[in-house]
Amino acid sequence: MSGAVWSYSENESVSNEVASAAADVAKGASAEPVVLEIGAVRAGVRAPGAKLLLKGPATSDVPPEVAAEAIAKASKQLQPAAILIGATRYGREIASRLAVKLTVGCLSEVSKLSADGNALAGERNAFAGKVVAKVSCALPAIATVKVGYYAAVESAGTAVTESDVGQVNPLVKVVSREKKAAGAVDLRSAKVIVSAGRGVKKKEDLPMLEELAREMHGALGCSRPLSSDLGWLPEEHHIGLTGVTVKPDLYLALGISGQLQHTAGMKDSKVVAAVNTDKDAPIFQASDYGIVGDLYQIVPAIRKALASRR
Amino acid sequence: MRIAVCVKHAVDETELKIDSGGKPLLSGATSRMSTFDKNAVEEGLRLKAAHQGEVVIFTVGPSDSKKTMKEALAMGADKGVLVTADTTSIDTMRTASLLAAAIKKAGPFDVVLCSEGSSDTYSGQVPPMLGEMLGAAFTGYARKLEVNGQTARVERSLEDSLEVVEAPLPVVASVVSEINEPRYPTLIQIMQAGKKPLEELNGDQLQPAGAYRQASVVSMSAQQSARKHVMIEGSPDEAAAKLVEALIREGVLSK
Ligand SMILES: Cc1cc2nc3c(=O)[nH]c(=O)nc-3n(C[C@H](O)[C@H](O)[C@H](O)COP(=O)(O)OP(=O)(O)OC[C@H]3O[C@@H](n4cnc5c(N)ncnc54)[C@H](O)[C@@H]3O)c2cc1C
Ligand SMILES: Cc1cc2nc3c(=O)[nH]c(=O)nc-3n(C[C@H](O)[C@H](O)[C@H](O)COP(=O)(O)OP(=O)(O)OC[C@H]3O[C@@H](n4cnc5c(N)ncnc54)[C@H](O)[C@@H]3O)c2cc1C
């Protein structure tokens, strides 16, 4: 086993988070954190130490099947102590395939990672966020790292070394890829998040909340039904167990009932405020400030109150 | 077409009790079909309706899992294979290898369906592990699935994009909840489900290949939350003004 902790994500900003996790683990394992690149080095990808470029795939836009095979080949040669992968929809596939290819255990959806003796240890939610579990796996081990927990690594990184992994021929062929509506958000770094739930009656009402978010210098997030079932916002806006984890200074939940699967993704916010017509909505249990009321009346009133202070 | 659907008997998180020491009472907790697995069963039934064939349910779990399997049979699946194992102490890879062994034994299958992640422990790892172990094409987060001849065409829902992919059969896919609206079985179907074949395999005898050290749970504790729970009253304008004031006082809102 070499003294290296590898990190990888196909998503540049997630890669920078996972690199922070790798730096933490490396410290405990007296190892080096190494950021993986596949196909080509990406300008937005930073590293606490060195980068390792896996050459073979034609570009850096690699499907999970190819990424897993490339990392597995390199891993068999170089034997890292641990491999951390961002828990995105691609990333979960990459890590799972790697676990099978390398026959090693895989922690899932973890944060607070460390190297604990000869094991990789971390914390994760279970049972819709009712429970926090400490999990561990003997090294060498793999983990999928919960998105939104770690601050992005700052340093640009040092040397790039290369490893040739050759061509990979995937079974799954990508026919097309289409961006979902609305621009990119960075909920993970937002100080204020205004979050929309099913209490919002139609898509056309979202701009009102977007305006409010802008006036609060924040970003718009949502509950899963708005992105998944209704498709009003891209999936990256959705907060919770199956979406992103956020911990802003202020989380303002508008028309969100506050089911466990949702609050699992925002419970570490500094201050939580909620507006809901139902006084018994569970979101009030997870809030510092609550208003029982109609968001269609309260939102304009908040905007007015903000404007009068300028 | 032969369709395998992997269905987990998952702890019902809404019923899970926490003891006075803050530990979850897992032994004796009630379990039910993992929420999104209903979508996987529905998709299997939809494929069967379009292509004929059969839908076989696979579950790794204690014998109490038969309750969940019968629900899937009542929805319309043809038969079930239960691999008995203590699911509280095996990791995702062991779970996947037991499923893979049972699926191979009862195979071949054209399509193997899972959900994106289980409602109790949501790892999202078992489906791609299965794909890898079965040497089949894998595609995750399907929100639309069609089979034409020997090719599956799948629309995958990713964080910021929709991806259309094609894969040769056999294919393993995980589905998201938007893919369909699961049916509710009728009373007659529920009664008939008891007569459908349900085979039991002993997990210890399905010796999965490859020794490794499993991921394990070290400890569990209840999620702590200390919030102020201040309810703000008054007319919309009054309440909004008080809220803004409070948020500024907290220092979380810049003017
Ligand atoms: C395995 C699994 C994973 C999941 N993961 C996630 C996840 O990551 N994130 C997530 O969000 N959900 C997730 N869910 C879904 C979750 O269980 C809830 O169904 C979902 O969060 C509900 O969204 P909501 O609060 O917007 O809608 P609802 O529960 O329908 O609540 C709408 C709320 O709006 C209020 N309301 C209605 N009109 C108004 C009005 N005019 N003004 C103010 N309030 C109003 C209502 O009183 C109600 O409380 C998951 C579910 C499962 C099974
Ligand atoms: C608190 C806690 C934390 C855990 N952390 C980890 C961890 O970090 N790493 C790890 O490897 N294991 C972990 N486990 C063990 C893991 O939950 C079990 O191995 C479980 O059997 C499979 O994981 P999952 O339900 O999260 O699967 P997922 O991969 O989320 O399941 C996705 C789909 O696969 C299918 N599927 C999954 N399980 C079964 C089954 N038993 N029978 C039939 N189909 C199934 C279903 O279609 C399901 O919808 C943990 C368990 C607990 C209680």
Side-chain angles (χ1 to χ4, degrees):
Chain A
M1 213 185 314
S2 85
V5 176
W6 288 1
S7 66
Y8 176 75
S9 177
E10 76 291 346
N11 176 302
E12 295 191 5
S13 78
V14 175
S15 173
N16 294 337
E17 289 180 20
V18 187
S20 288
D24 285 358
V25 174
K27 226 175 286 160
S30 357
E32 294 298 323
V34 174
V35 171
L36 298 184
E37 295 272 34
I38 303 175
V41 170
R42 297 164 294 178
V45 169
R46 300 195 289 269
K51 278 189 181 182
L52 173 63
L53 171 63
L54 308 184
K55 285 180 73 173
T59 64
S60 62
D61 181 24
V62 281
E65 203 180 339
V66 176
E69 183 60 27
I71 299 172
K73 277 185 183 157
S75 178
K76 281 175 188 160
Q77 279 169 22
L78 302 168
Q79 313 254 320
I83 309 177
L84 312 185
I85 309 279
T88 59
R89 292 186 168 190
Y90 264 16
R92 295 190 189 105
E93 176 178 342
I94 297 170
S96 306
R97 285 180 177 278
L98 265 176
V100 176
K101 287 177 196 289
L102 302 174
T103 331
V104 298
C106 188
L107 303 180
S108 47
E109 309 293 301
V110 277
S111 58
K112 298 194 186 161
L113 278 155
S114 63
D116 186 0
N118 247 337
L120 182 65
E123 266 189 35
R124 55 164 302 185
N125 280 315
F127 311 109
K130 239 184 192 172
V131 167
V132 190
K134 286 193 162 68
V135 289
S136 108
C137 187
L139 296 174
I142 300 173
T144 61
V145 180
K146 186 82 186 139
V147 176
Y149 177 81
Y150 285 95
V153 68
E154 300 284 346
S155 50
T158 54
V160 177
T161 55
E162 294 183 2
S163 172
D164 205 324
V165 292
Q167 290 295 320
V168 180
N169 290 316
L171 284 171
V172 175
K173 301 265 182 305
V174 177
V175 178
S176 67
R177 193 183 297 144
E178 190 189 316
K179 276 259 176 210
K180 287 184 188 169
V185 276
D186 198 359
L187 286 179
R188 287 170 273 140
S189 61
K191 291 265 179 264
V192 173
I193 293 177
V194 173
S195 198
R198 267 204 159 125
V200 176
K201 299 290 175 283
K202 47 188 199 302
K203 189 179 180 189
E204 290 68 39
D205 300 333
L206 286 177
M208 169 175 82
L209 306 195
E210 255 157 3
E211 283 298 311
L212 175 63
R214 195 168 314 132
E215 287 156 11
M216 290 183 148
H217 309 289
L220 183 67
C222 67
S223 65
R224 175 170 167 127
L226 262 67
S227 61
S228 304
D229 306 75
L230 299 166
W232 291 352
L233 287 164
E235 220 59 79
E236 60 189 331
H237 286 249
H238 120 223
I239 290 156
L241 193 70
T242 52
V244 64
T245 296
V246 297
K247 37 182 181 176
D249 289 346
L250 171 60
Y251 190 86
L252 176 57
L254 302 169
I256 291 180
S257 59
Q259 299 306 315
L260 288 168
Q261 293 94 350
H262 182 80
T263 53
M266 47 64 83
K267 63 184 165 51
D268 293 329
S269 306
K270 194 166 156 214
V271 173
V272 177
V275 178
N276 197 301
T277 43
D278 174 7
K279 69 169 179 21
D280 297 322
I283 190 70
F284 291 128
Q285 292 309 311
S287 301
D288 297 293
Y289 299 96
I291 298 178
V292 178
D294 181 350
L295 72 92
Y296 287 88
Q297 292 179 347
I298 306 292
V299 168
I302 296 175
R303 294 181 65 191
K304 208 158 77 187
L306 288 171
S308 73
R309 292 191 166 261
R310 275 194 206 100
Chain B
M1 179 180 288
R2 299 197 72 226
I3 303 144
V5 184
C6 301
V7 170
K8 184 180 182 188
H9 187 54
V11 172
D12 180 349
E13 74 283 351
T14 59
E15 298 282 321
L16 180 63
K17 304 275 182 300
I18 308 289
D19 73 10
S20 55
K23 298 270 171 287
L25 293 164
L26 279 183
S27 52
T30 43
S31 292
R32 56 170 180 187
M33 191 187 304
S34 180
T35 315
F36 300 156
D37 287 356
K38 294 187 181 161
N39 299 94
V41 174
E42 178 65 38
E43 200 55 22
L45 297 173
R46 210 190 55 85
L47 281 175
K48 179 185 164 180
H51 300 275
Q52 271 93 47
E54 65 169 352
V55 175
V56 185
I57 304 298
F58 289 86
T59 301
V60 172
S63 62
D64 182 43
S65 311
K66 285 180 189 157
K67 201 177 88 189
T68 282
M69 300 183 76
K70 285 191 179 133
E71 189 184 338
L73 295 173
M75 285 174 76
D78 298 289
K79 55 186 184 195
V81 178
L82 170 64
V83 181
T84 51
D86 174 11
T87 29
T88 58
S89 63
I90 58 172
D91 70 353
T92 56
M93 192 136 81
R94 185 68 79 209
T95 305
S97 62
L98 289 171
L99 283 169
I103 288 171
K104 272 185 202 152
K105 194 159 181 279
F109 286 91
D110 303 291
V111 178
V112 178
L113 296 170
C114 296
S115 95
E116 65 168 278
S118 67
S119 52
D120 58 355
T121 52
Y122 196 81
S123 299
Q125 293 183 345
V126 170
M129 285 174 171
L130 254 184
E132 190 71 38
M133 288 169 179
L134 295 171
F138 170 77
T139 155
Y141 305 94
R143 50 161 247 178
K144 198 169 170 203
L145 177 71
E146 273 166 16
V147 176
N148 302 306
Q150 285 305 300
T151 307
R153 192 181 173 88
V154 177
E155 223 176 275
R156 316 180 58 181
S157 173
L158 301 176
E159 282 83 354
D160 62 348
S161 56
L162 272 182
E163 195 175 77
V164 178
V165 299
E166 280 182 356
L169 300 188
V171 69
V172 178
S174 79
V175 305
V176 292
S177 53
E178 310 87 274
I179 194 166
N180 56 39
E181 199 57 60
R183 69 193 67 186
Y184 289 100
T186 63
L187 201 59
I188 293 175
Q189 285 176 312
I190 292 170
M191 279 153 46
Q192 285 169 344
K195 300 197 197 81
K196 291 188 178 175
L198 211 165
E199 189 188 346
E200 209 171 304
L201 299 174
N202 184 336
D204 295 334
Q205 277 151 24
L206 272 185
Q207 208 39 263
Y212 72 104
R213 283 180 289 178
Q214 295 193 49
S216 63
V217 177
V218 178
S219 65
M220 288 189 258
S221 55
Q223 190 75 251
Q224 301 293 334
S225 145
R227 293 286 171 195
K228 294 198 178 99
H229 307 302
V230 177
M231 296 307 285
I232 298 177
E233 312 204 329
S235 69
D237 281 342
E238 287 162 8
K242 283 187 221 165
L243 175 65
V244 168
E245 216 168 276
L247 297 178
I248 290 173
R249 209 168 41 235
E250 292 269 8
V252 295
L253 204 59
S254 49
K255 277 182 237 180

